[in-house]
């Protein structure tokens, strides 16, 4: 009787062990399927879902002092954020150019921190130390002229636009994306 009981316990123990191994194996296969087989597909789907829209409540309105002079006023403003996800450089560059042209058409402003002008080519930083620091941060030879630095950035961002003014507009936004690691 005791031998039979021990045999039953061993059988039960072996069944539990086998079930544990089978469940573990199924989970590992599913993990492999999610990570390796379909990982890239899920990553791309996730990247395309990173678009956000947020609505802010209306401002309180104008604030005046006791004489009726405006201290604070309400002004509507919009912010446009552009994140590079899975689109190729040419599509991104053309999209940026269209957005900038639309902004300019509506007389809106955009951030321009690119320290290179194009007519004539020159650096907005007049101090050599600042120029060299900027060149080093952007992997540009410290002896490069403003035109050479412009061409290097144009190559880096894969800008195919031949019109220098349009190329600079694209470069301004791409530089800002790189600078802010967007």
């Amino acid at each position: 009787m005791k031998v039979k009981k021990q045999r039953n316990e061993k059988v039960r123990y072996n069944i539990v062990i086998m079930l544990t191994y089978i469940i573990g194996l199924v989970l590992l296969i599913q993990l492999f399927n999610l990570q390796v087989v379909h990982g890239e597909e899920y990553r791309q789907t996730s990247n395309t879902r990173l678009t956000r829209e947020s609505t802010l409540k209306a401002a309180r309105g104008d604030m005046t002092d006791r004489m009726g002079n405006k201290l604070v006023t309400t002004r509507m403003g919009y912010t446009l954020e552009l994140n590079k996800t899975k689109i190729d450089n040419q599509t991104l560059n053309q999209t940026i150019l269209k957005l900038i042209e639309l902004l300019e058409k509506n007389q809106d402003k955009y951030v321009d921190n690119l320290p290179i002008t194009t007519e004539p080519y020159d650096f907005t930083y007049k101090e050599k130390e600042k120029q060299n620091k900027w060149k080093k941060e952007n992997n540009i030879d410290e002896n490069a002229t403003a035109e050479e630095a412009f061409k290097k950035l144009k190559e880096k961002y894969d800008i195919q636009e031949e019109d220098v003014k349009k190329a600079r507009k694209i470069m301004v936004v791409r530089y800002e994306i790189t600078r802010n690691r967007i």
Side-chain angles (χ1 to χ4, degrees):
M1 188 75 153
K2 197 174 189 182
V3 172
K4 193 174 182 180
K5 188 176 180 184
Q6 284 180 340
R7 192 176 289 160
N8 282 341
E9 285 177 3
K10 280 187 177 183
V11 168
R12 287 183 191 155
Y13 177 76
N14 288 338
I15 290 173
V16 169
I17 294 294
M18 290 298 288
L19 283 175
T20 304
Y21 281 125
I22 290 171
I23 291 171
L25 186 62
V26 167
L27 289 175
L28 281 174
I29 290 170
Q30 185 62 23
L31 181 63
F32 179 81
N33 185 37
L34 289 171
Q35 292 279 321
V36 178
V37 176
H38 295 290
E40 186 63 30
E41 174 187 335
Y42 291 142
R43 186 177 301 107
Q44 287 178 354
T45 302
S46 172
N47 285 342
T48 57
R49 291 184 183 170
L50 291 176
T51 304
R52 287 185 297 229
E53 245 183 69
S54 44
T55 305
L56 302 175
K57 300 289 181 193
R60 292 191 260 179
D62 296 340
M63 294 184 188
T64 58
D65 65 7
R66 63 187 174 121
M67 304 300 259
N69 298 323
K70 288 184 182 179
L71 298 173
V72 178
T73 186
T74 302
R75 189 176 63 165
M76 186 176 310
Y78 296 96
T79 301
L80 178 64
E81 289 185 18
L82 183 63
N83 297 310
K84 184 179 187 304
T85 54
K86 63 178 183 175
I87 61 175
D88 62 287
N89 283 326
Q90 291 310 309
T91 305
L92 178 63
N93 291 342
Q94 290 307 310
T95 302
I96 289 170
L97 185 58
K98 287 177 185 176
L99 280 172
I100 289 176
E101 288 172 348
L102 181 64
L103 289 171
E104 288 174 343
K105 178 181 172 189
N106 292 321
Q107 297 176 344
D108 292 319
K109 297 176 184 170
Y110 58 93
V111 176
D112 182 350
N113 290 324
L114 185 67
I116 300 174
T117 59
T118 55
E119 291 179 2
Y121 286 104
D122 198 10
F123 289 104
T124 56
Y125 297 137
K126 297 304 174 195
E127 304 87 24
K128 271 290 192 204
E129 185 178 303
K130 274 188 168 183
Q131 280 182 27
N132 289 339
K133 182 181 177 197
W134 181 84
K135 288 175 185 176
K136 184 176 182 181
E137 288 170 355
N138 291 282
N139 298 323
I140 298 172
D141 180 38
E142 74 176 47
N143 297 321
T145 64
E147 185 174 3
E148 291 168 342
F150 183 85
K151 288 178 181 176
K152 176 82 173 170
L153 288 177
K154 188 176 175 185
E155 181 182 309
K156 175 182 178 181
Y157 299 132
D158 194 21
I159 300 172
Q160 303 296 320
E161 182 64 49
E162 293 301 320
D163 183 352
V164 175
K165 287 182 181 180
K166 288 182 179 181
R168 187 183 185 284
K169 290 176 185 180
I170 296 168
M171 195 179 296
V172 163
V173 175
R174 293 293 302 269
Y175 172 70
E176 202 62 33
I177 289 171
T178 303
R179 195 170 144 227
N180 292 314
R181 307 284 187 243
I182 299 176

